[in-house]
Amino acid sequence: MASFDKADIEKLIDGVLPWPATQDMLKSSKDEDRFDKYVEIMQARVDFEDPILLPLTPMLFIVNDNGSRVVKCRCGQCFGDYRVNWKLSALIYVRDDEEKMEQVYVGREMPDPGWIQLREYICAGCGAQLEVEAVPRGCPPDFEFLPDLDTFYRDWLGRPLPDTCEFKDATLDQINEWAK
Amino acid sequence: MSATASTMTSNTPLRDRMHANDEAFKTTGSLFGLTALTRKEDDPGTYEAVWHILSNLCNTAWATGCKVSSSPIAAEGGDALWGLHTATGEAVCISRGISAHAGLLSDMIKHFIELGYEDYPGFKQGDIFENNDPHYGGIHSPDFDMCMPIFYQDKLVAWASCVSHVSDSGSVTPGSIGFLNPDCYSDGIPISMERVGEHDAFYPWYEMRIRSRTRTPDFVMGDARGRLAGCITVRERLHEVLDKYSLDFVLDAMNEYVEDSRRYAVKRVKTQTVPGRIRKSQFKDLAMKGKRVLLAKQDIDCMFNLPMDLTINADASVDLSLAGASGTVPFGENISPTALKSGLMMGYSHVVGFDMFNSGPTTAWNVEMPPGGSWANPYPVDYQAASGVAWAPAVTWLSNLYEVFGRLFQMRGFVEEMAAGSGSIMTAEFAGINQTGMYLTGLTLEQASQGSPARGYSDGQNSAWCIYTPEGDFGNAEVGELYYPILFLGRNVAPDSGGFGKFRGGLGHTAVWMVYNTPGLEYQCGDAGMRSKTVGNHGMYGAYPTVPDRPGYGHKTNLKELIEEQKPLIHERGGPDNPAVTSKITAELAEDSAVAPFVTPEALVDYDVIVHPISGAQAMGDPIERDPESVVNDLNEGWTTQRVAREIHGVVTTQPNGHVAADHEATAKRRQQIREDRKQRAVPFKEWWLEERKKVEAQENMDNAVRVMWESSMRLSPEYGEGVRKFWNLPEDFTFTPDAG
Ligand SMILES: [Zn+2]
C-alpha cells in the first residue's frame, strides 16, 4: 500500500508537485491514510480551531463546533447546520441581465439572461467566491452534497463519531421559517 | 431444480444461463456467483497476461477494422469500437475508440439472447447480427452495432462486437447528426435486431438496402466490411488464445475480469468517496425558432432539464435518478433509457471503474427509470420520438458525473483524481459534391478534440480530450481536405475557452475553413451536446463556466480577390468584440455569432468561409486564486486577454521588455478590492430569495423555452415539482405557463 509524505500532498494541492511524482500518485494503489493527512493539512491552513469532520470543498468544511456539526469557510465564517444547504447562509449576487452578465462574458460569449442566470455565492467573511450556478430562473440552488456523516465515520472509517445526527435534508425547514 | 450459475454448463441455453447469472448476482452479490476469484488467486501471472492479450486483440481488431473501412470517420478519426464479450453478453474488454458504446453492445447481445434468437434463427459460427434501431436499444441510426457469436469446439463461448459511426444514416437531412429529424420515421435506415449475414459475409439484400437508402453507400458498406473484418480478427485471435491457455482457463478468467472490475469500482467508491446524497442540475438549449426547419412544429426554442440525483449508500452501491427530466422534443434529441444507461457505463468507467474497462462497474448501480415522456424515456408517451443525435442530451447530462466525482474525491483528499465538467460538443458536417465530382456527406472530427477538464492540481490540456472517446483526435487537416471540398485556413487554440477559475479547463480550438472546388456545399452546424444560449452549470468551487458555442461564416466573400492580390486572409476567429469574419474580409452575408445548431439557409460556394469553434472544458476554483504567473503565461501565449486577466482574475501586469509580467503587489491589492466589491454588491441569500420568489411566481424574464421546460419537468415528476414549489413557497397548484399555441 502506497503512502505519501504530507509535504508532497501539500505540493499537489498547491499545484506545484512535479509531474512524475503526480503520475506516481495517480498510478499507485491509493494510500489509506490520505483522508487523515488531508484533514491535518487543511486544519493547519484554516483560521479556526474547531476540528474538521469533512472538507466539503477546498474552501468549506463541516466542523465540530462545540458539539454541533456546522459548515465553516476557511476564514471562520459560519454557515450553520450542515444539513441545511449552506448557500442559504451565504451572500449572493445574481447576474440576470445583460449589463451584469457583460462583466464576465462579452459579445458573442454572453449567454442569454432570459434562459439562465449566473448566481455567485460569496462568503460574507472573506469575500471568496464559493460556488457559481448557471441555471434558469426557478431552479432551486443545488444542495451539492449532503453527507451521511455517521455512516461514513462508523462503517467506512471504522471510528464512530461520539454523537449521532439524523441524516436528513433540513433546507426546507429553513425556507418554511422564512415563508412565515 | 432451478438452474444456478454453478450448475450451468455450456450446453445450457444461453437465456437460462443469463437468468441464472442474474439470480446468482442477486443472492451472492458477486457477478456469476463468483464469491472467489479462483483463477486470479491460483495463477495471478497468467490471469494478468491473458487480460493484456485480450485487450490487445481488441486493439488489433480496431486497427484492422478502421483501415478496412474507407470512411474518413473510422479510417482517419478512429470513430469505432470492437469488444469481446462472455457467452451471456457481458463486455470483458474493449479496444481503443468510442468507448461510450461498450454498454450498448453488451445490452444488444443480451437482447438477442432474451428475444430467443438462439432458437430461431439460431446462432452459428460466421453469423452476423446488427441493430441500430433506438426502439430496440440502439442509440441513433448512424451507430451500427454488430455482434458475431464465437464458437470453439462446437460451443458458443464468446461474442465479438463492434460499432462504427457511418457518414450517412439515410435520415431526412444528409449526414449522421440528425438533430433536425422531427420523428423516428425521419431517423434514417433501420436495422432492427437482424441477422444481416452468414458465413462471414453480408446478405446481398443488406447491401442493396444500404445502396438505396444511404447517400454514401460506398463508405457505409466500407464501414460494414470494417466491422466484419474486426470481428473476425477478434474471433481468430481468441481461438489462438484458447488453444494456448485452454478453454476452461480463459472462460473462467473472462468472467473473473468482469467481477474483478465490479469489485474494483465498489472498493473505489468506498475508499475514495463519502456516502450521502449528491445533486447536480444541468441544462442545455436547442434554439430553433426562425431557422430552417423541416416541419412547422419545429419552429420553436427548447430547453432541456438534465438533473442528476445520486445517492451513495452505506454498502457503496449507487442509486441514480433523473427525476425532473423535461419532456421530449420534436427533434432528434431524445434517447431510450437503455441507451442512456449504456452511456453511463462510459462516464462511470472514466471516473470510477477504469482498471479493467468492462461491464463490471455499472452492475453496482441502481438506475431509476427516467420519467415516461421525458427526453430520457420518450416512448411510453411519444412512441414516434426521434433519436437522430440521442447523444446530445446524454453527454451533457454525463458531464455532471465528472464534476460530481471530482467533488467526492476532494472530500477524501484524492486531489490527483479530481476533474471539473466537460465542455460541449458542436459538430460540423458537410454535404455536397467534392473536388473529384463525388457526392459526399459526413462528419468532420473537429469536435473529437476538445480541451480536457480542469484537474484538482492543474489546468486541463488544450485540444486533447473528448467526453465520448479516449482518442481525443481531430484527425489530420490534410486528410479532411482530401474528402471534403474545403481548405483549412487555420486551426488555432481558442483564447478564454476553458472557463475562468483557479485552474481553467483545457482550451478548445477554432477551425477556419474556406469552401473550395464545389458547385455548392451545405454546412450543418450540429448539436451533439452543444450550448449556444446558455453555459453549463459547472461553476465548480466558484469558477465561471465555459463560454457558449457560437460559430460564424461568411457567404460570397472577397477571398478570391485577396488571394489574387496576395493580401492577408482570415486565419483565426478574432476577439468576441472584434470578429475576423466581419473585420478581415468582406462578405454579402457575414455572421460571427450564429446561434447553433443550424443548417446554412443556402448552399455555401467557393471562397465562402466557416469559423467553427470547438469548446474548451470547465474550470474549478475562485478565479482570483489563479496563480498570477499562470495568467501571465496565458497572456504571453495568446490564450487569454487583458480584460479577463484584470477583471476576472484580478491580475495586474506590466510590460517591461515586450513580454508581459505580473505586478504582484498591485495584483494582491486588486484582488483584495475584488473581495470587498463582491461583499458590497452581494446580498444575504434570504433577501434575494424574498424578491426572487416573486419573480418566479410572476414568471418574469423567463423565455418561453424555460417555461415549457419547467412545466413538463414538474408534470412528469410530481415529487420534483413539489420540491420546486416548496423551495419558492409557491401555491400548491402553481404551474409555469408556456405561451399559447
Ligand atoms: Zn470565508
Side-chain angles (χ1 to χ4, degrees), chain B residues 384-638:
Chain B
Q384 304 183 357
S387 302
V389 56
W391 282 117
V395 293
T396 315
W397 176 72
L398 280 170
S399 173
N400 281 336
L401 214 52
Y402 294 80
E403 183 184 322
V404 159
F405 274 86
R407 288 173 181 272
L408 290 165
F409 294 144
Q410 185 278 141
M411 291 177 210
R412 295 292 292 262
F414 293 106
V415 174
E416 73 275 24
E417 300 291 337
M418 293 164 66
S422 153
S424 53
I425 301 182
M426 184 173 76
T427 54
E429 273 191 309
F430 297 119
I433 308 283
N434 76 1
Q435 62 275 22
T436 65
M438 177 190 210
Y439 176 85
L440 219 137
T441 180
L443 190 59
T444 70
L445 269 298
E446 294 301 316
Q447 84 286 344
S449 197
Q450 307 173 291
S452 71
R455 295 170 282 200
Y457 56 91
S458 79
D459 294 344
Q461 287 187 307
N462 298 348
S463 297
W465 190 86
C466 179
I467 188 169
Y468 65 81
T469 171
E471 290 310 303
D473 185 354
F474 48 30
N476 289 298
E478 293 78 2
V479 176
E481 291 174 340
L482 209 64
Y483 286 93
Y484 305 114
I486 50 148
L487 295 173
F488 276 83
L489 299 186
R491 226 180 203 179
N492 314 285
V493 170
D496 293 329
S497 61
F500 311 122
K502 180 181 177 184
F503 296 118
R504 58 160 172 73
L507 302 175
H509 75 281
T510 304
V512 183
W513 293 306
M514 184 181 80
V515 177
Y516 191 59
N517 243 333
T518 177
L521 187 69
E522 199 167 69
Y523 163 55
Q524 297 201 16
C525 180
D527 176 12
M530 58 91 243
R531 290 191 184 88
S532 208
K533 302 278 276 185
T534 63
V535 290
N537 184 30
H538 277 302
M540 187 176 185
Y541 304 149
Y544 288 110
T546 303
V547 298
D549 298 308
R550 292 288 179 96
Y553 60 93
H555 184 41
K556 299 190 179 159
T557 71
N558 64 336
L559 269 174
K560 187 169 190 287
E561 292 78 49
L562 292 175
I563 291 167
E564 280 165 2
E565 293 162 21
Q566 301 198 6
K567 287 199 171 146
L569 305 176
I570 169 176
H571 300 290
E572 69 294 296
R573 188 175 194 194
D577 40 14
N578 180 32
V581 77
T582 50
S583 63
K584 294 242 169 122
I585 58 168
T586 60
E588 275 183 28
L589 174 65
E591 173 62 85
D592 166 60
S593 183
V595 173
F598 61 88
V599 182
T600 41
E602 54 185 293
L604 299 182
V605 296
D606 282 3
Y607 302 102
D608 280 2
V609 164
I610 299 164
V611 179
H612 190 85
I614 296 301
S615 168
Q618 306 289 347
M620 69 168 86
D622 188 340
I624 63 167
E625 294 197 7
R626 182 162 178 76
D627 181 352
E629 293 303 325
S630 299
V631 175
V632 163
N633 184 59
D634 282 354
L635 281 169
N636 282 321
E637 293 282 357

Side-chain angles (χ1 to χ4, degrees), chain A residues 73-75 77 123 125-128:
Chain A
C73 178
R74 59 191 171 179
C75 70
Q77 176 76 22
C123 173
C126 63

Side-chain angles (χ1 to χ4, degrees), chain B residues 39-86:
Chain B
R39 295 293 186 179
K40 181 182 184 181
E41 284 151 23
D42 292 352
D43 190 355
T46 311
Y47 180 81
E48 196 68 21
V50 170
W51 165 260
H52 288 285
I53 293 167
L54 297 180
S55 291
N56 274 330
L57 70 82
C58 290
N59 284 330
T60 307
W62 179 83
T64 309
C66 285
K67 287 290 172 277
V68 168
S69 165
S70 49
S71 152
I73 297 172
E76 184 61 17
D79 206 58
L81 177 89
W82 279 264
L84 172 70
H85 301 252
T86 64

Side-chain angles (χ1 to χ4, degrees), chain B residues 91 112 139 215 299 368 407 445 499 584 704:
Chain B
F112 276 120
I139 182 147
R215 297 174 181 84
D299 186 24
E368 188 184 288
R407 288 173 181 272
L445 269 298
K584 294 242 169 122
N704 186 51

Side-chain angles (χ1 to χ4, degrees), chain A residues 1 4 9 11-17 19 22 25-27 30-32 34-36 38-39 42 54-61 74 87-97 102-149 151-152 155-157 167 169 171-172 175-180, chain B residues 268-281 283 285-287 301-303 312-316 407-408 410-418 455-457 495-496 500 502-503 533-548 550 573-577 579 592-593 621-623 625 643 647-648 675 678-679 681-686 688-690 692 695-696 700-703 705-706 709-710 723-724 726-729 736:
Chain A
M1 195 58 66
F4 299 104
I9 297 172
K11 282 185 194 161
L12 176 75
I13 296 167
D14 295 331
V16 295
L17 187 68
W19 177 233
T22 308
M25 278 192 188
L26 278 161
K27 290 173 182 172
K30 296 299 178 195
D31 33 330
E32 279 179 356
R34 179 72 69 93
F35 178 69
D36 293 334
Y38 188 61
V39 168
M42 290 304 187
L54 189 74
L56 209 47
T57 79
M59 297 191 220
L60 294 173
F61 303 86
R74 59 191 171 179
K87 288 173 181 167
L88 272 60
S89 304
L91 298 180
I92 183 170
Y93 181 66
V94 180
R95 301 181 192 273
D96 52 5
D97 62 38
E102 201 162 36
Q103 292 161 356
V104 182
Y105 300 107
V106 300
R108 63 170 179 245
E109 296 181 344
M110 198 197 303
D112 187 330
W115 290 60
I116 56 149
Q117 48 182 227
L118 276 183
R119 301 176 184 163
E120 300 168 1
Y121 294 93
I122 307 296
C123 173
C126 63
Q129 187 156 292
L130 300 166
E131 292 284 349
V132 172
E133 288 180 336
V135 295
R137 171 160 283 156
C139 184
D142 283 334
F143 189 173
E144 274 110 5
F145 191 55
L146 172 64
D148 184 352
L149 271 185
T151 297
F152 178 55
D155 299 345
W156 289 25
L157 297 180
F167 173 53
D169 182 347
T171 305
L172 283 179
I175 292 291
N176 292 338
E177 276 298 307
W178 292 352
K180 273 177 192 165
Chain B
R268 195 149 187 244
V269 168
K270 197 149 185 173
T271 55
Q272 296 174 37
T273 74
V274 178
R277 192 200 66 193
I278 298 124
R279 283 197 170 153
K280 184 80 201 151
S281 301
F283 303 89
D285 54 276
L286 175 61
D301 289 339
C302 305
M303 177 84 137
I312 299 184
N313 300 303
D315 64 356
R407 288 173 181 272
L408 290 165
Q410 185 278 141
M411 291 177 210
R412 295 292 292 262
F414 293 106
V415 174
E416 73 275 24
E417 300 291 337
M418 293 164 66
R455 295 170 282 200
Y457 56 91
D496 293 329
F500 311 122
K502 180 181 177 184
F503 296 118
K533 302 278 276 185
T534 63
V535 290
N537 184 30
H538 277 302
M540 187 176 185
Y541 304 149
Y544 288 110
T546 303
V547 298
R550 292 288 179 96
R573 188 175 194 194
D577 40 14
D592 166 60
S593 183
D622 188 340
E625 294 197 7
R643 181 192 73 86
E647 302 304 318
I648 297 183
R675 288 172 192 276
R678 285 172 176 172
K679 286 198 275 183
R681 68 181 175 229
V683 297
F685 186 91
K686 182 184 176 184
W688 174 74
W689 179 84
L690 286 167
E692 181 70 7
K695 294 177 188 169
V696 174
E700 199 178 305
N701 190 27
M702 294 172 77
D703 193 277
V706 173
M709 176 199 77
W710 281 129
V724 174
K726 280 192 173 148
F727 186 85
W728 298 112
N729 189 33
F736 288 96

